[in-house]
Amino acid sequence: MFVRRLLTATAFAALMTGAAQAQEYEVSFDNAVHHEARISVTYRDVGTAPVRFQMSRSSPGRYAIHEFAKNVYSVSAVDGAGRALTIDRTDPYGWTVPGHDGTVTLSYTLFADRSDGTYSQIDATHAHLNMPATLAWATGFDDRPVEVVFKPFSPGWVVATQLEPGPDAFTFAAPNLQYLMDSPTELSAHMTRQWTIDDHGTPRTIRIAAHHPGTEAEMDRFTEMAKKVVDAQIAVFGDAPDFDFGTYTFIADYQPWVNGDGMEHRNSTILNDTRSFAHAEFDQIGTLSHEFFHAWNVERIRPAELEPFDFTRANATPSLWFAEGFTSYYGPLTIRRAGVANVDAFLGEMGGTLNFVVNNPGRQFGGPQEMSLRAPFVDAATAIDPTNPNIFTSYYPYGATIAFGLDLTLRQRFPGVTLDDLMRRMWRDHGLTEKPYITADLEAALAAVTGDAAFARQVFDTQIRGSALPDFAPLLEQAGIVIRPSNPTGAWAGGMRLQVNGAAAVIGAALAPGTPLYEAGLDRGDEIVSVGGTAIDSQADWTAAVAAAKPGDAVEVVFNQRGVEKRTTLTFAADPSFELVRAEAGGGSITPAQQTFRDAWLGAATE
């Protein structure tokens, strides 16, 4: 993504002084009701060689290939005199225009009807634009400043974006292509709230633009929650980012026709949810917290493999366990520290994360670094052939678990040192300087804050390159927190869900190795006919059969597997799931030392 050190002057200043010819875009929405935009882009002083235009194949914050050219059609081109030009089409990703007079305007229609962090959506209510999914660009002119003019569908539409504001409400600029492609934009009749933070004497503006069906009072309530979270995250680093053009914008779409998502950008973030504030009970604060933490971690503390971002291929890094995973730890942690959620809510979320990772079979196939490198195959990637879900553990919860354990370990082994110190060190060395990091830099930062290079090496060898996890029970005991079984007396067969089609109850997803059903020889797609002589025709039937059993019980299962009826013995196991609870919530008590530790880690209790 765009590096701050290149922002020595605004794009508009460069244009006004004639420092460079612009990449000039015009985006109109006359046929918004049918999800279309008409877009043109003009390049001047391009010489005599053919100009190659193309659509991106990847998007900032996403790590897989996305073929955005598939939604582009009715393409035409003219030269500086308005004469029609020939377009050579030799591949599916772009268009080559020869025979011009040094100026080329490419025009096309875009179809867009998915609102999330990757794609674009255009309708009569809004235009939600992720730029790589929206704007074609000419190769070889990336460093030219950009001007974008929007022509709204509705007179009630206003613009929310991190692009530099121009001379009117619908004209914006970017210093170059990298920044343009990193700048999602929302045009709609949205509500806006903003406030100012004090960044060591420099005011910076935080803005929320929410396209939602709720009330002004709900918007105010959400804004107050956001203010507290923003302050808590600034406290982690002891510094706010120097937002380009002085503003950071949360761009939110909370409508039933959008797709739930969150996507970080340098000076903004996309927040999408199908639910309103009221319906979600303001649960959207979780996504806001995660994405704002990215303003430091991944946008400025940036993996070297993602800098600069290559829009023509999948962008992969072995550090997503840190970029995404540590962010997934600090998201709920800073909500708790802000007093927006209580300790039990934090423990519920982190307990679910820890439970998932501990009991996930994917860890036997690699540690967090390996899982990070699998991102191009799983990060909203699509494929026809099935993949084995048991070989992958998402770097989001995996990295969050590593951060969780490392924070508690640092507090235990190194008095006065916490994970916050590691984040501040990375901010000082790689965020403020915007010097991209590699894995060795992360290990060196851990060694520096602990003063123990051997400890840092051991953590990276066993937990990052390897797949070991720390023993969480004694770590959590410091804070008076207990790990206890979620279902201590219940039987368990593998957490399987059925798909019911008429009278057929079919296993809907691949089973995990080591689970009773897997060991009994069942697999995805098998129809379960009966368990212990009881017919299974629904999920409720299966749930009742498991509830009636005890760990160690053995029953006969009759099932159909690819046209063959089979019988096997299923031996129920004990449910391995667990939860995290405050000792006192389970009837115990905690010492003053444990309370002090908990308050220093999670913030003083307010509930």
Side-chain angles (χ1 to χ4, degrees):
M1 293 175 200
F2 181 70
V3 179
R4 185 183 62 192
R5 61 178 175 268
L6 298 180
L7 265 179
T8 56
T10 69
F12 280 123
L15 292 172
M16 291 176 66
T17 60
Q21 291 285 357
Q23 306 172 66
E24 304 169 27
Y25 288 88
E26 182 178 285
V27 186
S28 60
F29 304 98
D30 293 344
N31 199 27
V33 71
H34 293 298
H35 317 297
E36 287 186 338
R38 188 66 184 171
I39 301 169
S40 66
V41 57
T42 299
Y43 289 82
R44 307 180 194 278
D45 295 336
V46 295
T48 58
V51 178
R52 160 75 177 185
F53 292 88
Q54 65 186 65
M55 291 294 290
S56 299
R57 303 187 67 204
S58 56
S59 182
R62 286 263 94 102
Y63 308 104
I65 286 290
H66 300 278
E67 303 293 8
F68 299 122
K70 68 183 181 297
N71 281 325
V72 171
Y73 45 92
S74 298
V75 181
S76 61
V78 298
D79 65 11
R83 292 175 296 217
L85 296 171
T86 299
I87 297 176
D88 294 336
R89 185 91 150 116
T90 58
D91 65 76
Y93 312 114
W95 307 261
T96 300
V97 183
H100 53 79
D101 60 1
T103 295
V104 181
T105 297
L106 187 83
S107 299
Y108 58 93
T109 298
L110 174 79
F111 178 85
D113 193 23
R114 182 179 173 89
S115 177
D116 62 10
T118 308
Y119 298 98
S120 296
Q121 182 174 70
I122 300 162
D123 58 40
T125 71
H126 75 154
H128 165 101
L129 307 177
N130 184 43
M131 294 311 183
T134 304
L135 300 181
W137 43 278
T139 60
F141 306 100
D142 295 11
D143 291 338
R144 289 189 176 190
V146 181
E147 180 182 80
V148 185
V149 178
F150 298 106
K151 297 197 169 181
F153 173 76
S154 167
W157 282 10
V158 291
V159 181
T161 184
Q162 70 174 30
L163 292 168
E164 181 185 6
D168 61 66
F170 296 101
T171 301
F172 296 85
N176 53 30
L177 183 74
Q178 284 277 323
Y179 193 92
L180 174 69
M181 289 295 162
D182 190 43
S183 301
T185 299
E186 167 80 12
L187 293 89
S188 60
H190 50 257
M191 292 183 191
T192 303
R193 299 288 187 274
Q194 67 181 47
W195 68 97
T196 301
I197 59 172
D198 180 3
D199 181 17
H200 303 295
T202 300
R204 315 227 183 258
T205 299
I206 309 294
R207 178 172 55 193
I208 301 177
H211 179 216
H212 74 109
T215 65
E216 298 280 354
E218 289 169 345
M219 183 71 173
D220 289 339
R221 178 179 171 186
F222 187 69
T223 300
E224 290 306 308
M225 296 167 70
K227 287 180 179 179
K228 295 176 181 178
V229 170
V230 165
D231 288 345
Q233 294 193 357
I234 292 172
V236 171
F237 292 95
D239 186 27
D242 296 344
F243 301 121
D244 304 310
F245 317 122
T247 301
Y248 184 94
T249 304
F250 295 104
I251 304 172
D253 269 310
Y254 299 142
Q255 302 285 357
W257 53 85
V258 308
N259 299 86
D261 200 6
M263 182 58 64
E264 74 280 358
H265 297 274
R266 182 173 172 83
N267 302 297
S268 65
T269 192
I270 286 294
L271 305 170
N272 271 26
D273 199 313
T274 59
R275 304 166 298 170
S276 67
F277 286 128
H279 184 204
E281 297 180 335
F282 297 89
D283 185 57
Q284 293 96 339
I285 196 65
T287 308
L288 180 146
S289 182
H290 178 99
E291 301 304 337
F292 188 62
F293 200 82
H294 276 314
W296 292 269
N297 190 27
V298 88
E299 291 300 331
R300 290 163 176 84
I301 305 172
R302 191 152 177 79
E305 298 83 6
L306 304 183
E307 186 63 44
F309 197 84
D310 188 340
F311 299 103
T312 67
R313 62 171 179 84
N315 290 250
T317 171
S319 299
L320 290 181
W321 60 270
F322 180 77
E324 293 290 357
F326 275 44
T327 299
S328 295
Y329 171 65
Y330 272 102
L333 178 61
T334 52
I335 289 175
R336 165 58 217 140
R337 288 178 179 174
V340 173
N342 60 28
V343 171
D344 291 339
F346 171 76
L347 294 179
E349 184 158 355
M350 290 310 302
T353 297
L354 183 59
N355 185 78
F356 171 81
V357 173
V358 168
N359 291 311
N360 192 287
R363 285 197 302 120
Q364 65 183 295
F365 298 100
Q369 187 167 281
E370 167 64 22
M371 298 306 160
S372 297
L373 290 172
R374 296 190 66 83
F377 309 136
V378 298
D379 184 33
T382 58
I384 296 175
D385 62 315
T387 58
N388 186 346
N390 295 313
I391 63 172
F392 176 70
T393 304
S394 170
Y395 41 82
Y396 285 87
Y398 205 160
T401 296
I402 297 299
F404 188 23
L406 183 57
D407 197 1
L408 293 170
T409 300
L410 292 174
R411 293 169 185 271
Q412 181 186 66
R413 290 187 53 171
F414 304 95
V417 178
T418 76
L419 196 67
D420 294 0
D421 294 297
L422 176 63
M423 301 311 295
R424 292 190 192 107
R425 180 75 183 212
M426 289 299 295
W427 175 244
R428 189 194 75 184
D429 292 351
H430 297 277
L432 287 171
T433 61
E434 301 217 26
K435 176 185 177 183
Y437 69 85
I438 59 175
T439 302
D441 294 320
L442 291 167
E443 183 175 335
L446 182 59
V449 298
T450 60
D452 190 336
F455 168 77
R457 188 180 316 112
Q458 185 266 338
V459 168
F460 274 75
D461 283 346
T462 61
Q463 297 183 30
I464 307 305
R465 290 178 280 270
S467 57
L469 295 176
D471 184 354
F472 275 90
L475 294 175
L476 288 163
E477 185 182 7
Q478 302 173 94
I481 295 168
V482 177
I483 302 177
R484 71 181 185 190
S486 300
N487 184 23
T489 62
W492 182 74
M496 178 267 292
R497 299 292 298 178
L498 295 172
Q499 294 177 347
V500 179
N501 182 14
V506 175
I507 298 175
L511 301 169
T515 62
L517 283 166
Y518 184 99
E519 297 303 321
L522 285 86
D523 197 17
R524 178 180 65 86
D526 292 352
E527 177 192 355
I528 297 183
V529 177
S530 65
V531 174
T534 300
I536 302 297
D537 296 317
S538 66
Q539 180 65 41
D541 290 342
W542 170 254
T543 301
V546 175
K550 294 182 176 59
D553 285 355
V555 297
E556 183 184 60
V557 176
V558 180
F559 63 105
N560 290 317
Q561 188 174 77
R562 301 201 170 186
V564 178
E565 183 176 283
K566 296 184 176 182
R567 297 172 183 267
T568 189
T569 299
L570 172 67
T571 302
F572 290 100
D575 190 338
S577 63
F578 56 84
E579 59 189 1
L580 307 182
V581 296
R582 292 176 293 120
E584 63 271 30
S589 61
I590 63 171
T591 67
Q594 288 173 317
Q595 186 68 62
T596 298
F597 183 99
R598 186 190 296 174
D599 290 347
W601 170 37
L602 302 179
T606 56
E607 65 274 16

